Amino acid sequence: MTNSMNNNVAEILEKAKKLFDVRVEDIAERQHKLIAENDKTIPLLAFLKESGYSHLSILTCIDWIEEKRFELVYILFNWSNGVTLLVSTFIDRDKPVFYTVKDMWPTAEYYERDVHEFFGVEFEGNERCRLPLFLELWNDLPPLRKDFDPLKFSKEHFPDREYEKDAIHEAKIIRADLEDTRGDING
Amino acid sequence: MDERSVWEKIADQLRSRSMWMLHYCTGCGAVELPPSMTSRFDMERLGMGPMATPRQADILLITGYLSVKTLRRVIYTYEKMADPKYVIGFGSCTINGGIYFDSYSTINRLDYYLPVDLYIAGCMPRPEAILNAFNTLMEMIRKGEANGWKRYKENYEWYKQNQLRSLGEVIVHDEFHE
Amino acid sequence: MTGLATAGRVAGVLFTAFFFGLTFEGIGRKITARIQKRYGPPWYQNFIDVFKTLTKHGWTHGWIFDFGVLMALGGVIATLSFVPLGNLVAFPGLDNFFVIAYLFTVGALGMAMGMVGTGNPWASIGVARALTLMLGYEVPYLIVITTLLFYYKTGNISSIIEAQAQAGEWNIVKFPIGALVALISLQGMLGKEPFEAPIAPAEIASGPMVELSAKYMGLLMLMNTFMEFIEISLFVDFFLGGGTFFVFLLKYFIVWTFAVMVSAVLPRFRIEQAVAFYWTVPILLAFLQAFFVVNGWVF
C-alpha cells in the first residue's frame, strides 16, 4: 500500500519533471516542493489537479527583497494519500503580475485578493482582485512587503500611551539595589 | 459626584447589582471568560451574565487586541448601547498595544477612542482578576465614579476626532453591506 | 361596592403574578445554577433586573414599536385578570377558557408586531420561529383541552376545578395521557429547552428581543413573566385541581420547578425538528386521549 502510494507520487513527480521541467525538493516524507517556471505554472497546476491534488490549501506569497522577486506558493493536498505538494514560482518584484487560478479553484479568488492586498500582486483575470478584503481604506504600501515599516506606520496612526515614569530606568535602579544587597549578603 | 439625586443613587445601586455584559472577543482572551461564568467562579451570583445584543447590555468587555477593522464595529456597538454603559478594557493590548505595539493594523490604546472605565492588566488576566475588576466596577458604580458614558457625551468632538485620525472613516463600507 | 371588590381582586391577581412570578423565576435561576454546580444569583435577582432596565435610557424604534410593546403587556395583563388562581377569581363566572384563549393572542400579536417594527432581521426570524413553534404546540394542547371541556360539558375553569374537588381526584389521574401532552406543550409555551429556538441567544441574538433597550426590555420581561404565569396557572387549574390560593401557589411552584429542571439538562431542538416532534408523538397521544374520552373510558 505505502509502496504503491510512494510509487504513485514518484511517478507524478517524474512526469512533472519531464513535462514541465520543474525542480523538485523533498521537504519531508509526504511533502515535496516543485519550483516551476513562470509560464509553466498554470499548466502544471492543472496537471496536478487532474492527478488527484485537487485541494488548494492556500495560495501565499514570500517577499525576497534582496533578489527583487516575489515567490508565489500554491499548496496542494491529495485527500487519497495525504501528500502535500508546494508549487512555487518566482515573479518580478517591480512588476508583480500573475494569472488567476480562480477558474480551477473558486476559493482562490479570496486567496488572490489576500495576496493582492498584502503584497500588491495583481492577478490577471480576477476582476474582484482590487476590492478591499481585510484592510479597509488602506492607502499606503502593502503592509507585508519587507520595505514597509510597521512601527513607523503605527506611530503615525495609532497614538501611544505616554508614560510619566520611565519604567525601564526604574527597573534598572531596582535591579542595581538588588545586586548590591545580594553583594552584601554574599560578602 | 454629589450632583446625583436620590433616585440616581438608588438606580446606581440597582445597576451595580445587575450587570449584563456584552463581550467583544475579537482578539484572544475569550477563553478566560468561560471559567469565570461557570461553576469555578460563577459570575451569575453577582448578578452578572452574558447578553447577546448591545441594546440590552450594560458592560462592553473588550478582550485582547483591537484591529482597525474591528474598532469600527466596536464604535458602532458602543454607540448602540443604552445609557448608562461601561467599558472594560481587558488585557495589555487595550492598554498600550501589548506585543502588537508596532503592528500596522492594531490600535495601541483604547481610551483614545472610547471612554474606558476600567482596565484589567495582564496577558492574559486570570479569571480572579476579571472578578476582581467587576467588583471594583460595582464599587465605582455605587460611588458614581463610573462616568465613562458622560465623558463620551461631553468630549464627543475629541473622541470623534481621534477615531477619524486613526480610522479615516468610521462608517463601514464593505461588499456585504452595500 | 362590587366594582371596588372586583378591582381589588384584579389587583390581587396582578400583584401575585408580579411578585411570585419574578420570585419563582429567581428561584428557577438558582435551581439551574445548582444543577450546574454553581452558587447562583439571589432569589430577588429578577426584581433587580427589571427595575434596573426601567432606570436606563433607551431608544424607541417608531410608534409601531411603542404600540406593539404596550399592546403585548396590556393584552397579557388583560388575559391574566381572567385566569383563576385557585379560588382567587377576579371576574367570577367569566373565567371561561375561550375568553383566555382569545385574549391571549392579543399579547402574542402585539409582541410580534412591535418586534417586527424594529426592522431588525433577527427579530423577524425570532418572531417567525415563535409563531411556527406556536403552530406546533397549540394543536395537541387544544385537542387535549377540548377533550377536557367536552368531558365536563363546560368552558368555565372554576367549574372544572370544582368538579375535580367533588370527584376527589385530579384530572392528572383521570386523564394521564392528556396531562402528559399538556406538560410537553407547556415546555414549548414557556419557551424552555428543548423548545427554545425562538430566543436562541447564540445564533439569532435573543431573537425577538434583539433591539429592545432599557424600559422596553423591562416591560417585555414583565410580559414574559405574566405569560409564564398564565400558562402554568392554566395547567394547575385544569390538571392539578386548583385549590385555595396558597395550595395553588405550591402546585404552581412544583410545576415551574419541574419545567426548569427539564430545561436545565436538555439541549435545543431546531425549529423544524420541534414542530415535527409536536405533530407526531404528542398529537397522536392527544388523539388517543380524545378517543378514550369520547368512548367513555375514563376512570
Side-chain angles (χ1 to χ4, degrees), chain A residues 5-33:
Chain A
M5 246 161 48
N6 286 346
N7 287 344
N8 186 16
V9 176
E11 201 177 292
I12 281 172
L13 291 180
E14 274 311 310
K15 261 190 186 173
K17 270 184 199 166
K18 207 177 285 172
L19 290 173
F20 306 100
D21 71 88
V22 295
R23 197 149 52 79
V24 177
E25 287 174 14
D26 295 336
I27 300 169
E29 192 189 339
R30 290 185 181 191
Q31 276 187 14
H32 308 279
K33 186 173 182 184

Side-chain angles (χ1 to χ4, degrees), chain B residues 19-57:
Chain B
M19 296 199 286
W20 294 343
M21 179 177 63
L22 182 73
H23 35 274
Y24 202 89
C25 303
T26 54
C28 40
V31 81
E32 304 294 328
L33 285 170
S36 38
M37 282 175 205
T38 49
S39 54
R40 179 82 190 270
F41 294 99
D42 187 20
M43 192 182 273
E44 203 187 4
R45 73 198 146 90
L46 304 175
M48 312 191 56
M51 265 295 144
T53 90
R55 294 282 190 206
Q56 301 164 9

Side-chain angles (χ1 to χ4, degrees), chain A residues 110 113 118 128 131-138 143-144 148 150-151 153-163, chain B residues 68-69 72-73 95-96 101-109 111-113 119 165-169 172-175:
Chain A
Y110 286 91
R113 278 171 69 179
F118 286 103
R128 286 157 63 84
L131 285 176
L133 185 63
F134 301 115
L135 307 169
E136 294 168 339
L137 303 171
W138 186 262
L144 288 191
F148 174 79
L151 182 61
F153 185 87
S154 176
K155 286 268 179 279
E156 273 170 18
H157 287 77
F158 313 124
D160 261 326
R161 183 177 299 280
E162 284 159 14
Y163 286 100
Chain B
V68 173
K69 190 170 180 172
R72 283 196 187 92
R73 277 78 178 169
I95 299 176
N96 57 9
F101 71 99
D102 65 345
S103 167
Y104 56 89
S105 67
T106 56
I107 58 156
N108 284 350
R109 52 183 282 212
D111 53 23
Y112 196 65
Y113 311 96
Y119 275 121
R165 177 180 165 196
S166 294
L167 302 180
E169 200 177 354
V172 175
H173 295 289
D174 65 26
E175 57 190 293

